[in-house]
Amino acid sequence: MKKKNKFTRLVTTVFLTLSALCIFFISCSKDSGPEIIKVTGITLSESTLALVEGETGSLRATIVPADATNKRSTWKSSDMTVAAVDAEGKIVAVKAGNATITVTAEDGSKTASCTVTVKAATVSVTGVKLNKATLSLALGASETLTVTVAPENATNKKVAWKSTQTDIATVDGEGKVSAVKVGTASIVVTTEEGAKADTCTLTVVAKAVAVTGVKLNKTTLSLTEGASEKLTATVTPNDATNKTVSWKSSDASIAIVDSDGRIVALKPGIIAITATTEDGGKTATCAVTVTAKVVTVAVTGVTLNQTSLSLVEGGSESLSATVAPADATNKNVAWQSSNTAVAIVDNNGNVTALKAGTATITATTDDGGKTATCIVTVTAPAAVPTFIIGAQTGDGGDGILDSGTMEWVKYSLTGANGMTFTGKTADIAWFSDAEGKITATEPIGVRFSILKFPGEDNNIVSLGASVAQATPEGSYYFRIIIEGVTSSNVGVLKVGKAWEMKINNVTWAARNVERPALFVSNPEDTGWYYQRNRYTGWSPTDPLTPSHDGEEWNSVVDTNDSWVTRNNPCPAGYRLPTLDDINALLDKTSVDREWVTQNGVKGYKFTDKKSGNTLFIPAGGNRDRDGKLSSPEGGRYMTSTYEEDTARKIWSTRTLYFDRNEIRPGLIREAVAYTVRCVKR
């Protein structure tokens, strides 16, 4: 038992001794190793940095504490396209913008940053250019010039504008040039940087006159292959500023046209040649037909169906010409009489015997001048009466028949060889000229009717000449034929002013209205002035004639046709025009119009492009509520078309309104008195 305790104490003593030695060695080993110092912060030499594109800079990082064990760090840019940084903190400015450079300590991830601002590099101006070297402006007009500074990326593109003649033209800070008066000035632009300059030469001309239309000298044209012809374009008005026109063919494979309007036919076909004005884009067209070129077959001779002919005075017969060969290209012939006092011949070979004698009728070919003749022998007629047309009288003794009037035409009968003559019927043969060349088988606009036959005064016979309405003014030549016997001389009937004229399919009265249902005497007379919802109107002269005729003024219209049904002043068979009638009159495609002075009176003359009919409407102005004359050099004409003024609860009348400067549909105030021009019902 004692031995066992002694052993236990020995083991315990050894264990304690060994434990003490271990503690000693461990303690000695720790005290002898190096001490590790941690990073507590990091700073940069700059917190902000400004660079120009292409420049470089450097940042210096400081680790805190200075004796920190690990001083390694990393660099990073927030935008490498603006500013790049390397592992040493060297920065390169790439392009304009902002970037943040951040440095991070490897120990402890401590950071510091610097804001880098990169500015664009300055690019110097090398030049400046205006969009126009020359400029033409009408007086009062303006235009803005544009400027280009070189190079495109120049830093300072500011410019200054200047006019060398501010009394002729001015220019603002945006390059807007304004024409002040006629003359020449220079507009100069100068760069703020480098003082580079460019100049535009400005010409100020009188105010432009706008183009209103264009016409061609021909609206249709026929050409053969290879042929050419020049068209002429007339621009209106005559004083238009820009009369330049361009030409175009609708099919250049058929015919071409150059800048001067010369057409060259290429192959068969139909095309349109159009002239277009540079100002306003007005157009006019010519329809061109190109035919194939024909091989010409020359004429070798000509023969007549008769070589001799016998006629009685007043008789007629037709000759026909046969051209050889049968396929000759040009078979046209011209006819001629060797003695026109004896016999005449027209363009178709119709021979008319005039008096006893002999004449040779010759047919001559256009191609080659080949001839053939016929001897015509004219003999006096058997014993028949002859008569002579006497002098005409006209209304008022002026020898002119007015449209719609009746006049006497007198002629005398003379018996032949002691024979008496009793007529039963009469007819008229019309001629285009005093030589008696017949061009129409029917009378032209004028009709005759027998009122007395035979005459009360032995051999004096009278015919009544009734002049149809719408007969054009002029002289009409005629012979009177009774039972096949023609008068020995030519009569002349002079026709004056027409009652009516058709313009663009609307038949207008040729004169204004005077008192209700009565036309004025002359186309130039104004007539009376009519107010809406009044029985009559003001007279055309001052002092005014009272014209209420018992009907009181009514300022309110409750139906849109009350004025027409109650107060239409047009004569029987006529009515007030509608707005559609006015628009048809103002249709430029069908009707030409011109401000004219006719017999001392100003107004508009309208001409139907298709028929050539003309209509004059005088400018008579209007009268106000008290009858005072206003706008005496303007036209104010009533229509039957109404429009409701819902605000005022009345109806207003559409009108024809014009003066020397404009013409258009207008609108009448209820108290104004206007002139009236009627149309056919």
Side-chain angles (χ1 to χ4, degrees):
M1 185 69 175
K2 289 182 179 180
K3 288 182 180 180
K4 184 178 181 180
N5 289 337
K6 186 177 179 179
F7 175 76
T8 300
R9 286 196 298 271
L10 177 60
V11 171
T12 300
T13 300
V14 172
F15 176 77
L16 290 174
T17 301
L18 290 174
S19 297
L21 288 174
C22 286
I23 292 171
F24 174 78
F25 284 118
I26 291 172
S27 176
C28 290
S29 173
K30 181 179 180 181
D31 291 339
S32 64
E35 182 182 1
I36 296 174
I37 301 175
K38 297 289 186 180
V39 172
T40 62
I42 187 170
T43 62
L44 287 174
S45 56
E46 306 287 344
S47 61
T48 61
L49 184 62
L51 296 174
V52 176
E53 287 177 342
E55 287 186 341
T56 60
S58 296
L59 292 176
R60 185 176 65 258
T62 302
I63 298 294
V64 179
D67 57 350
T69 302
N70 182 0
K71 293 185 177 183
R72 289 189 297 275
S73 60
T74 58
W75 296 83
K76 183 179 180 181
S77 170
S78 65
D79 190 343
M80 292 290 284
T81 65
V82 174
V85 63
D86 64 10
E88 304 299 325
K90 182 179 179 181
I91 301 169
V92 177
V94 180
K95 71 173 184 180
N98 295 311
T100 300
I101 303 301
T102 303
V103 61
T104 303
E106 187 177 280
D107 178 15
S109 299
K110 304 297 183 179
T111 63
S113 62
C114 173
T115 300
V116 178
T117 301
V118 179
K119 295 182 179 180
T122 300
V123 179
S124 299
V125 172
T126 59
V128 66
K129 186 73 175 178
L130 289 172
N131 63 316
K132 291 186 177 181
T134 60
L135 177 62
S136 179
L137 288 178
L139 188 63
S142 63
E143 186 171 331
T144 300
L145 295 174
T146 58
V147 62
T148 302
V149 176
E152 185 178 353
N153 62 339
T155 302
N156 183 359
K157 292 187 176 183
K158 293 181 180 179
V159 296
W161 298 85
K162 178 182 178 182
S163 170
T164 60
Q165 294 288 122
T166 56
D167 59 330
I168 292 175
T170 61
V171 61
D172 64 13
E174 303 300 323
K176 181 180 180 180
V177 181
S178 300
V180 178
K181 76 173 186 178
V182 175
T184 303
S186 294
I187 305 300
V188 182
V189 63
T190 306
T191 62
E192 184 176 84
E193 194 268 303
K196 307 296 182 181
D198 194 16
T199 301
C200 174
T201 301
L202 171 68
T203 302
V204 179
V205 297
K207 193 171 182 179
V209 177
V211 169
T212 59
V214 61
K215 288 184 178 180
L216 296 180
N217 60 320
K218 291 185 177 181
T219 56
T220 60
L221 180 62
S222 294
L223 295 173
T224 56
E225 288 177 302
S228 67
E229 186 165 336
K230 184 178 180 181
L231 293 177
T232 302
T234 301
V235 176
T236 55
N238 290 332
D239 59 347
T241 302
N242 182 1
K243 292 188 176 183
T244 302
V245 297
S246 59
W247 298 85
K248 184 179 180 181
S249 168
S250 62
D251 190 339
S253 68
I254 294 174
I256 59 175
V257 61
D258 65 14
S259 59
D260 293 324
R262 180 166 294 280
I263 304 168
V264 178
L266 302 179
K267 71 176 184 180
I270 299 175
I271 62 159
I273 299 296
T274 302
T276 304
T277 63
E278 187 172 82
D279 175 16
K282 308 296 182 182
T283 60
T285 302
C286 175
V288 179
T289 301
V290 179
T291 56
K293 192 172 184 179
V294 179
V295 177
T296 301
V297 177
V299 170
T300 58
V302 60
T303 57
L304 296 180
N305 61 324
Q306 298 186 69
T307 57
S308 63
L309 183 62
S310 295
L311 293 173
V312 178
E313 286 180 355
S316 64
E317 191 163 335
S318 295
L319 295 177
S320 61
T322 301
V323 176
D327 60 346
T329 302
N330 182 358
K331 293 186 177 183
N332 294 332
V333 296
W335 298 86
Q336 185 177 18
S337 170
S338 65
N339 190 344
T340 55
V342 172
I344 58 174
V345 61
D346 66 13
N347 293 333
N348 296 315
N350 298 313
V351 180
T352 302
L354 301 181
K355 73 175 184 178
T358 301
T360 300
I361 304 300
T362 302
T364 305
T365 63
D366 282 357
D367 177 15
K370 308 297 181 179
T371 61
T373 59
C374 175
I375 306 299
V376 177
T377 302
V378 179
T379 58
V384 292
T386 61
F387 54 90
I388 299 175
I389 301 173
Q392 283 76 62
T393 59
D395 52 348
D398 60 3
I400 298 177
L401 298 180
D402 205 356
S403 296
T405 61
M406 185 72 71
E407 186 55 69
W408 296 107
V409 176
K410 296 183 178 181
Y411 60 91
S412 61
L413 292 174
T414 302
N417 298 331
M419 295 177 61
T420 60
F421 177 80
T422 301
K424 296 180 180 178
T425 60
D427 197 2
I428 308 300
W430 286 94
F431 302 90
S432 62
D433 54 35
E435 284 72 32
K437 295 180 180 179
I438 302 175
T439 59
T441 58
E442 293 293 330
I444 307 172
V446 179
R447 295 290 188 269
F448 272 78
S449 61
I450 300 176
L451 297 184
K452 297 181 181 180
F453 188 82
E456 298 174 352
D457 220 355
N458 293 326
N459 58 356
I460 301 299
V461 180
S462 298
L463 292 182
S466 176
V467 183
Q469 291 186 347
T471 300
E473 298 178 22
S475 296
Y476 294 87
Y477 301 91
F478 62 92
R479 294 181 189 273
I480 298 176
I481 303 172
I482 298 181
E483 295 291 342
V485 180
T486 305
S487 58
S488 58
N489 69 326
V490 176
V492 181
L493 191 65
K494 296 181 179 179
V495 178
K497 312 168 188 68
W499 281 112
E500 296 175 354
M501 192 60 63
K502 181 174 285 189
I503 304 291
N504 197 11
N505 296 319
V506 177
T507 300
W508 290 82
R511 306 176 189 182
N512 282 1
V513 175
E514 195 169 40
R515 295 177 184 275
L518 178 66
F519 288 129
V520 296
S521 299
N522 300 297
E524 297 83 12
D525 294 343
T526 302
W528 285 51
Y529 294 79
Y530 288 84
Q531 291 174 305
R532 182 160 58 85
N533 289 332
R534 205 166 199 155
Y535 243 99
T536 60
W538 297 108
S539 68
T541 58
D542 295 312
L544 294 169
T545 303
S547 54
H548 276 81
D549 288 353
E551 182 72 6
E552 292 301 323
W553 169 258
N554 173 16
S555 62
V556 177
V557 179
D558 51 7
T559 60
N560 64 352
D561 65 347
S562 64
W563 196 89
V564 179
T565 56
R566 293 174 54 200
N567 304 316
N568 179 18
C570 294
Y574 294 87
R575 61 170 173 78
L576 283 174
T578 64
L579 181 59
D580 289 340
D581 296 331
I582 296 298
N583 287 330
L585 186 66
L586 302 183
D587 181 4
K588 290 183 179 180
T589 62
S590 301
V591 183
D592 285 331
R593 58 177 181 257
E594 181 183 9
W595 179 263
V596 299
T597 299
Q598 180 169 301
N599 295 328
V601 176
K602 297 176 180 178
Y604 265 99
K605 182 174 78 172
F606 300 88
T607 302
D608 189 293
K609 293 183 179 181
K610 184 176 181 180
S611 67
N613 292 343
T614 62
L615 179 71
F616 176 75
I617 300 184
N622 57 269
R623 292 188 181 276
D624 59 23
R625 182 189 297 271
D626 299 324
K628 182 179 179 181
L629 183 63
S630 302
S631 305
E633 291 193 0
R636 310 292 188 273
Y637 284 83
M638 189 84 67
T639 77
S640 61
T641 301
Y642 284 76
E643 290 185 3
E644 185 176 11
D645 186 338
T646 55
R648 301 169 66 190
K649 297 182 179 179
I650 63 172
W651 291 82
S652 297
T653 307
R654 297 309 300 264
T655 62
L656 170 63
Y657 169 93
F658 66 77
D659 56 29
R660 68 179 302 116
N661 297 314
E662 65 171 324
I663 182 167
R664 58 177 172 78
L667 197 64
I668 187 176
R669 297 174 298 170
E670 57 268 32
V672 179
Y674 280 29
T675 45
V676 170
R677 178 62 65 97
C678 305
V679 298
K680 195 78 170 181
R681 286 190 181 276

